Amino acid sequence: MISTKRNKMIVSIAFVFAIVAGVVAIGIGSVKIAVPDILTTLFNGRNVDGVFTTIVWDIRLPRVLLALIIGANIAISGALLQGVMGNPLADPGLTGVTSGAAAFVLFIILVNPEWTHLIPIAAFIGGLLAAGVVYALAWRKTGITPITIILSGVAVNALCGGIIGFLSILYSDRLPSAVQWMNGSLAAKGHSALNMIYIYAIIGWVLSIFTIRKANIIRLGDQVAVNLGENVTRIRIVLSILAVFLAAISVAAIGMVGFVGLIVPHMARMLVGSDYKYMLPMSMALGAIVLLIADTGGRTLFAPLDIPAGILMAVIGAPYFLYLMRKRAF
């Protein structure tokens, strides 16, 4: 009972912190805006003329909301994949989902830019195909092991990376328009990107809530799940499709951002345990916070340069991945 109250309190604090961090991030930049001014501008809508209204409503608010939404998406995706595979290394980036989605999206951006309305669907198909190949390559009679996941993910990532490189050379004259996207950047992302993703994200979050019980059953092991009368294969497929969906729509919006899906579920597990009833919402809140911090740092630390959040996450995530390897955390 004490643990339940404690976990509820930690999750609640994390969501409050994410909201506060979002408000503070709106005020950080070349033009600093105090929190009271931000709140006044937000509560008055566009009814107040002035530079603050333009900066808050048209530039920083959509970018901050995108960072929060996409961070939550990728973290939930990682948490679900780790549960499905029983493997703490199952991150959308390491399992090829991100690069598969990116290859399909880049094909549209460079080869058929008039099909941009199909980018979310293309990302989903690409991520699904990549995940399917990784599953097929990694699966053994004894199940999926960390080493087979890593090796299969390396192979699929290399293949998708080769496709991305080939397209980049073949359509190098169109590449400048895709460079920021390829590095997972939220620069110049406005209301159009936000409008494209938020409905898909809400659908994914709602569906995730309904999968908590199934994810917990899978966590107990296949034999226990079978004894409880569950269809393990069907649960794995449903959870995997949902995880790919959340990762793919994120790739469609801002490009490739690695390691959020690996790091955040670990952090959530350390704070609230492995019960998905708490671990999933905790991952959601922490993922939002982590990506928001990465994006805010990227646009302010080296100003006027705008470093993509994907690059900062790679710089932070790669050492953490090596730390996990060193500690034999899986």
Side-chain angles (χ1 to χ4, degrees), residues 258-260 262-263 311-323:
F259 293 108
V260 175
L262 173 69
I263 295 172
I311 292 178
L312 283 189
M313 283 309 306
V315 171
I316 298 169
Y320 187 76
F321 177 74
L322 294 174
Y323 166 76

Side-chain angles (χ1 to χ4, degrees), residues 175-239:
L175 196 58
S177 62
V179 168
Q180 288 288 332
W181 176 86
M182 289 169 68
N183 287 300
S185 173
L186 286 102
K189 296 295 182 184
H191 289 285
S192 59
L194 185 61
N195 291 336
M196 182 188 79
I197 195 173
Y198 85 90
I199 293 177
Y200 293 114
I202 291 173
I203 292 171
W205 296 346
V206 171
L207 293 176
S208 299
I209 293 171
F210 284 106
T211 64
I212 286 175
R213 179 177 168 274
K214 300 294 185 184
N216 272 332
I217 291 174
I218 284 289
R219 181 172 60 86
L220 298 175
D222 288 7
Q223 192 56 53
V224 175
V226 171
N227 291 340
L228 291 172
E230 299 288 347
N231 186 323
V232 176
T233 302
R234 185 164 59 196
I235 293 176
R236 279 207 168 93
I237 291 173
V238 170
L239 294 181

Side-chain angles (χ1 to χ4, degrees), residues 62-328:
R63 182 167 178 162
V64 165
L65 289 177
L66 268 174
L68 293 170
I69 291 171
I70 291 171
N73 283 352
I74 300 174
I76 293 174
S77 176
L80 290 176
L81 285 175
Q82 289 176 14
V84 166
M85 298 186 181
N87 187 331
L89 282 183
D91 157 79
L94 295 174
T95 53
V97 173
T98 301
S99 57
F104 272 58
V105 172
L106 196 65
F107 177 81
I108 289 182
I109 292 176
L110 297 181
V111 183
N112 292 293
E114 65 275 14
W115 292 355
T116 51
H117 60 287
L118 295 177
I119 282 178
I121 297 173
F124 182 53
I125 294 173
L128 211 55
L129 282 175
V133 172
V134 169
Y135 267 69
L137 292 174
W139 189 263
R140 299 288 185 275
K141 290 181 179 178
T142 54
I144 297 175
T145 65
I147 192 66
T148 56
I149 280 290
I150 292 174
L151 294 177
S152 304
V154 167
V156 171
N157 277 325
L159 174 62
C160 294
I163 294 172
I164 291 172
F166 179 72
L167 289 173
S168 301
I169 293 173
L170 208 59
Y171 296 91
S172 56
D173 56 320
R174 303 177 185 177
L175 196 58
S177 62
V179 168
Q180 288 288 332
W181 176 86
M182 289 169 68
N183 287 300
S185 173
L186 286 102
K189 296 295 182 184
H191 289 285
S192 59
L194 185 61
N195 291 336
M196 182 188 79
I197 195 173
Y198 85 90
I199 293 177
Y200 293 114
I202 291 173
I203 292 171
W205 296 346
V206 171
L207 293 176
S208 299
I209 293 171
F210 284 106
T211 64
I212 286 175
R213 179 177 168 274
K214 300 294 185 184
N216 272 332
I217 291 174
I218 284 289
R219 181 172 60 86
L220 298 175
D222 288 7
Q223 192 56 53
V224 175
V226 171
N227 291 340
L228 291 172
E230 299 288 347
N231 186 323
V232 176
T233 302
R234 185 164 59 196
I235 293 176
R236 279 207 168 93
I237 291 173
V238 170
L239 294 181
S240 298
I241 290 174
L242 181 56
V244 171
F245 173 74
L246 286 166
I249 60 171
S250 302
V251 172
I254 68 165
M256 294 185 285
V257 178
F259 293 108
V260 175
L262 173 69
I263 295 172
V264 171
H266 277 277
M267 295 165 60
R269 208 173 283 115
M270 285 190 289
L271 290 169
V272 298
S274 299
D275 186 344
Y276 274 76
K277 183 179 178 182
Y278 304 106
M279 204 271 272
L280 208 63
M282 192 68 199
S283 296
M284 182 181 181
L286 285 180
I289 295 168
V290 167
L291 192 59
L292 178 65
I293 291 174
D295 180 56
T296 306
R299 67 181 169 86
T300 56
L301 290 177
F302 304 97
L305 293 177
D306 194 330
I307 308 299
I311 292 178
L312 283 189
M313 283 309 306
V315 171
I316 298 169
Y320 187 76
F321 177 74
L322 294 174
Y323 166 76
L324 290 178
M325 295 279 289
R326 182 76 179 170
K327 296 287 287 183
R328 297 179 183 274

